[in-house]
Structure formats: structure tokens, C-alpha cells
Amino acid sequence: MSMIENIVYTLIVSISSLFTVLCCLVVSRSNVFHPNLQGPIWWSAFFYFELTISKMLTIVFQTTYLNDHCKFNPSLFKILIDEPSGGMFILMWIAATHYHFIFTVMAAPIVVVAERSLATKFVFDYERKKRRYILVSLFLFQLGFATIFTLLTVFNILRYVSAAVIAGLIAITSLLIFLHINRINKRTLRFVETQNRDIKFDLSVRYQLRENVKTFKMLTILLLMLTATIVLLAFLKTIPMIIGVDEDTKYIFKISTDMIVHAGPIYVTCTMIWAVDDYWIVFCRFLGQEKQKVIPPETRFEQEGRRHLLRAIFAIFEIETEEYSKKKKCSNPCLESV
């Protein structure tokens, strides 16, 4: 890369790193989501610093080891040089950190869908029990997924085109499952609040169902944006290799994908703050502006549920009033006889 490109990349990475710090601070200061969901959002953002390390190592490698007697292919991370010992070690770390971040982001939709699926399954006591094993299992899965696919790609066992296709399929499948689970929660909440009066669906369960629907609503925008980004990157990575374009066109595609990846924290953080009201409140507090939380209007199902609850309370009150009046009538003759 030229000096201008290095300066542009350094500027983008620096700004994105600041947005990553902002994202981590906002997420850690908010409690709008369950800790089992808050954790994956936080550490997925934190892994961006792997990409920062990768880009810094790339600049060091290019300025130190590349000269007129070597040939470098940035898209495949392959080099032919006369003295490969130190340069090859740095190159392996560049590839490892770059791919590990990419596959960590790929696994993020799977982790979110898995956590929301478990929240739907344990709806009766999900808020009351911590279930830290879920958080640990999600972290180990995401870390193991990224590590395994990184090793397969670095050692050329899995082609990068295949990895990009897998990324697109995972993102689309996760989005479809997410929307299906959201539909299940909405349908269950509608059934509980309008038709079912079973004792097992108490107020805490109904509250959890409302929180699930609210969480799905806030995450939908973020997951749609993340899925679209992953599919776009997979498209830009695979098209040049499939159709066989010239080297200049491949380089343009590579620059485009690198810009989208490295600037990821900027548009991801902005989307999160815009989509989640509590994140916006925390962000305003960082700016020194206290923003009052606006209570959202009740939905039709919430209004109907409130009406049914009031009717049930009034019915119980009327029954108790009638029983009291009967006892009073019965007690008066007894008193008169005495």
C-alpha cells in the first residue's frame, strides 16, 4: 500500500477503535438486556481490537520486509521473500488476527439466536435465575468457532471463498430463525393475554414474555444491519474470485471490503445507540445531558391484558362484597334475638 493508503487506514482504525471503546462503555453501563445477552454484545465489540492489531502489524510488515525483491498478495496473505523467518512469523499473526475477528463476527448472530431461544424456553424463570452456564457456553462456542475456522483458513484447509459462502448462509439462516422465534413470542403473549387464564402464566411470566418481545424488537434492526453487512462482504469477497477479474479490479474489491470491515464499529455503534432507547440515554449521559426515559405507549395486547386484569379484580371485589353483605344480614337477626 502507498503512504496515503496507510494514513487513511490508520485514521479509520483509530476512529473505529474510539467507537469500539464507546460501544463497550455504553453496553456495560446499561442493563436493558439480560446479562446472558449483554455479555455477547460486549465481547463481540471488544474483539475489534484484534483487527486493529492485524492492521498495525500489516503496516509494520509492509514497511519493514517488503522491497523490490519480494512479491506480496494481500488478499491471500502469501509472500515470496528471500529471508522468510521474521516476516513469515508476522504474516501468520496478521492472518490469524484478521480471520479470527471475521469469524467471531460471523458467530455473533448464532450466539444471539441461541440466547433468545433459551430465553423463550426458560420463560417461566429466566429473569429470576442467573444461569451463568449459558453465558460461559456462548462465549466458549463463539471463541471455539472463530478459532477452528481461523486455523482451517490459515493452513489452507478451507478456502476463503468457501468461508465467505458459509458466512452468508449462517447470517441468513440466523436471521430467519430469529424472526421465527420472535413470532413465537408474540403469538404466546397474545394467547396468554387474551385467551388463557392458566395459573402457570402468572404476572412474572407475562412480564418476561413482554420483555422478550421488547428485546426482539430492539435487536431486529441491529441483526438486519449485521446480516446485510455479512452478506455484502461475502458477495464482495467471492465475486472477484468466481468471475475471474483482473488484478486492478480485485484490488478495488479488496479496498472496498477492507473499508467496510475496518469502519464496522462506526456504523454498528451508531445503529445500536439509535435502535436501543436505553443505550441512547446512556450516551446522552456521557455527553452530560440527562435525558428522561420516555414511557412507550401501550400496545393493543397490553391494553387488553390490563382490562382483563381490572375486570378480574372488580369481580373478586364484588364477590367479597356480596359475601360480606350476606354475613351481615345473617348476623343482625342473631343480635336481635340476643
Side-chain angles (χ1 to χ4, degrees):
M1 291 188 297
S2 62
M3 182 61 67
I4 297 178
E5 290 178 346
N6 286 334
I7 294 175
V8 172
Y9 270 115
T10 303
L11 183 62
I12 292 176
V13 170
S14 301
I15 296 174
S16 298
S17 299
L18 293 176
F19 270 87
T20 302
V21 174
L22 175 63
C23 179
C24 293
L25 290 175
V26 169
V27 172
S28 61
R29 297 291 179 87
S30 173
N31 58 356
V32 64
F33 295 135
H34 193 278
N36 291 339
L37 179 60
Q38 199 90 330
I41 295 176
W42 189 88
W43 70 58
S44 296
F46 187 78
F47 270 108
Y48 176 80
F49 291 109
E50 276 192 321
L51 194 63
T52 304
I53 295 173
S54 175
K55 182 52 64 178
M56 295 299 103
L57 289 176
T58 302
I59 295 175
V60 171
F61 174 80
Q62 291 175 341
T63 55
T64 305
Y65 291 95
L66 291 185
N67 49 51
D68 296 335
H69 302 287
C70 63
K71 182 180 179 181
F72 180 64
N73 188 343
S75 62
L76 299 178
F77 292 99
K78 291 181 179 179
I79 187 169
L80 300 174
I81 57 177
D82 296 332
E83 56 279 1
S85 57
M88 189 59 68
F89 178 77
I90 296 178
L91 195 62
M92 290 295 294
W93 274 105
I94 292 173
T97 52
H98 178 88
Y99 285 131
H100 194 270
F101 168 75
I102 295 296
F103 290 119
T104 300
V105 175
M106 283 174 52
I110 305 176
V111 171
V112 172
V113 171
E115 191 278 335
R116 287 294 87 195
S117 301
L118 293 172
T120 303
K121 180 180 179 181
F122 300 117
V123 66
F124 294 101
D125 58 354
Y126 193 71
E127 289 292 334
R128 294 194 296 268
K129 295 183 179 180
K130 294 182 179 180
R131 289 191 171 92
R132 296 303 185 195
Y133 65 89
I134 295 178
L135 183 64
V136 175
S137 300
L138 293 176
F139 176 76
L140 293 177
F141 168 78
Q142 191 169 6
L143 183 64
F145 180 93
T147 303
I148 292 173
F149 274 87
T150 298
L151 294 175
L152 292 176
T153 308
V154 169
F155 292 104
N156 206 23
I157 301 175
L158 178 68
R159 294 184 59 192
Y160 194 74
V161 178
S162 302
V165 173
I166 293 173
L169 293 176
I170 288 176
I172 295 174
T173 305
S174 300
L175 178 62
L176 294 177
I177 296 175
F178 179 87
L179 296 176
H180 178 67
I181 299 173
N182 185 22
R183 183 181 178 185
I184 292 175
N185 279 272
K186 287 183 178 179
R187 188 171 55 193
T188 305
L189 180 62
R190 185 186 305 116
F191 174 76
V192 168
E193 292 190 338
T194 59
Q195 299 180 15
N196 192 280
R197 291 294 175 267
D198 198 333
I199 190 63
K200 68 179 181 179
F201 293 106
D202 55 9
L203 293 178
S204 63
V205 176
R206 297 181 184 184
Y207 171 79
Q208 179 59 46
L209 285 171
R210 294 191 189 99
E211 287 298 310
N212 285 353
V213 173
K214 179 182 176 182
T215 301
F216 274 104
K217 183 179 179 181
M218 290 186 290
L219 288 176
T220 299
I221 299 175
L222 181 62
L223 199 61
L224 281 172
M225 185 271 298
L226 186 61
T227 302
T229 304
I230 293 175
V231 172
L232 177 62
L233 290 174
F235 178 79
L236 293 176
K237 286 287 187 180
T238 55
I239 288 300
M241 300 180 184
I242 293 175
I243 63 178
V245 297
D246 55 20
E247 292 298 325
D248 292 337
T249 307
K250 285 183 179 180
Y251 187 73
I252 294 174
F253 274 94
K254 178 192 176 299
I255 292 296
S256 302
T257 55
D258 283 350
M259 291 295 181
I260 295 174
V261 172
H262 288 84
I266 299 175
Y267 53 81
V268 170
T269 302
C270 293
T271 304
M272 289 177 58
I273 294 175
W274 173 71
V276 182
D277 293 335
D278 199 66
Y279 288 171
W280 172 249
I281 295 172
V282 174
F283 177 70
C284 290
R285 288 173 182 170
F286 280 135
L287 299 179
Q289 300 177 0
E290 289 291 336
K291 182 177 175 62
Q292 298 295 330
K293 189 172 182 179
V294 180
I295 301 176
E298 290 184 335
T299 62
R300 181 171 60 88
F301 303 113
E302 292 174 343
Q303 293 175 356
E304 292 179 358
R306 182 165 53 83
R307 293 195 193 100
H308 287 298
L309 181 61
L310 291 175
R311 289 173 185 172
I313 295 173
F314 290 150
I316 295 173
F317 179 75
E318 290 176 358
I319 293 173
E320 291 181 352
T321 305
E322 291 178 359
E323 291 180 354
Y324 176 75
S325 60
K326 289 179 181 179
K327 289 181 181 179
K328 188 174 181 180
K329 289 180 181 179
C330 180
S331 60
N332 288 334
C334 296
L335 292 173
E336 290 176 359
S337 62
V338 174

